[in-house]
Amino acid sequence: AQSVAQPEDQVNVAEGNPLTVKCTYSVSGNPYLFWYVQYPNRGLQFLLKYITGDNLVKGSYGFEAEFNKSQTSFHLKKPSALVSDSALYFCAVRSYGNNRLAFGKGNQVVVIP
Amino acid sequence: DTGVSQNPRHKITKRGQNVTFRCDPISEHNRLYWYRQTLGQGPEFLTYFQNEAQLEKSRLLSDRFSAERPKGSFSTLEIQRTEQGDSAMYLCASSLAANPYNSPLHFGNGTRLTVT
């Protein structure tokens, strides 16, 4: 079985401050991890992924994420948040051989001007 | 725009009616997925195709649901005898099969179904 936990329902951050969205996962074998962002009434947009290699991965719009195997975490980060970053963020995981991508319930990020 | 296209964007129907949604994937993508998303939840897997073959179905896909991808290009998702619990956003996504597990899914904007 594979699953994702995103413990916080909403993350509030002031514009210009660092943004962190937390994600922990459970999977058999090595994980393939993804972050997506969703704006109102839109589909999900891919931000970044971890497959193997360097634990710090960089993605679109200045976002990055750090893979931590011992803590089974894949937190999303951005050094300086913008108001336009306000959206719903989803962490997702799957393992090799599993065609289903399992999503967390999402985190609403609100960047306050 | 060469992204994933879904039609219609919104569908309101009465309980008991049948509805059909269409998805046009990115042209070079041979894998196509259907997901369902309800308010406050992440997307839940329904089914996926590789070319025209439907290779996996979730238990969420009851007998009232059927999906097709007849020529390995566009796909349709039909819900028969709709129920209020079917109200959700139905998302289609596509990806390349060459690296199926590490390729990201590319999502359409979804079809929002409301059953009254």
Side-chain angles (χ1 to χ4, degrees):
Chain A
Q2 49 189 28
S3 64
V4 168
Q6 295 184 245
E8 301 162 312
D9 288 333
Q10 183 163 310
V11 175
N12 296 324
V13 62
E15 186 177 24
N17 281 4
L19 169 64
T20 298
V21 187
K22 295 180 180 178
C23 168
T24 57
Y25 66 89
S26 175
V27 69
S28 298
N30 292 324
Y32 298 151
L33 292 153
F34 303 82
W35 274 101
Y36 288 83
V37 61
Q38 185 177 35
Y39 296 97
N41 298 314
R42 302 293 296 272
L44 280 69
Q45 295 178 32
F46 168 71
L47 283 178
L48 52 79
K49 66 179 181 181
Y50 171 82
I51 304 302
T52 186
D54 195 347
N55 289 342
L56 185 66
V57 294
K58 295 186 183 295
S60 306
Y61 313 118
F63 284 94
E64 57 189 30
E66 186 167 12
F67 171 65
N68 186 316
K69 187 173 183 179
S70 63
Q71 297 185 3
T72 61
S73 67
F74 189 55
H75 301 331
L76 181 70
K77 300 179 181 182
K78 186 171 184 179
S80 178
L82 301 173
V83 173
S84 58
D85 293 329
S86 298
L88 197 52
Y89 290 81
F90 290 96
C91 182
V93 68
R94 66 178 161 197
S95 57
Y96 182 84
N98 195 322
N99 295 296
R100 306 182 182 200
L101 189 58
F103 287 86
K105 64 177 176 60
N107 285 121
Q108 183 67 50
V109 169
V110 178
V111 181
I112 304 162
Chain B
D1 189 342
T2 58
V4 177
S5 176
Q6 290 188 249
N7 288 289
R9 289 295 311 278
H10 303 276
K11 179 70 176 179
I12 300 173
T13 191
K14 292 185 178 181
R15 188 178 55 158
Q17 298 296 303
N18 299 344
V19 294
T20 300
F21 311 140
R22 176 178 170 127
C23 171
D24 288 88
I26 294 171
S27 57
E28 61 267 29
H29 286 181
N30 45 11
R31 282 201 168 197
L32 186 148
Y33 302 79
W34 285 99
Y35 278 77
R36 183 177 72 181
Q37 185 180 18
T38 54
L39 197 62
Q41 299 298 320
E44 298 171 291
F45 172 85
L46 292 178
T47 188
Y48 95 94
F49 293 83
Q50 180 153 324
N51 300 314
E52 66 274 11
Q54 187 174 18
L55 297 183
E56 193 170 340
K57 293 193 289 187
S58 162
R59 286 177 297 175
L60 293 174
L61 213 66
S62 75
D63 291 345
R64 297 184 297 105
F65 288 70
S66 63
E68 295 182 344
R69 195 182 183 198
K71 297 181 179 179
S73 56
F74 73 91
S75 176
T76 58
L77 178 67
E78 180 183 17
I79 309 174
Q80 297 181 326
R81 305 181 303 280
T82 52
E83 302 172 356
Q84 288 186 325
D86 297 332
S87 295
M89 174 81 89
Y90 290 85
L91 294 166
C92 177
S94 67
S95 72
L96 288 168
N99 292 295
Y101 309 116
N102 61 26
S103 293
L105 271 57
H106 297 263
F107 283 86
N109 285 330
T111 294
R112 182 169 295 284
L113 173 65
T114 302
V115 182
T116 62

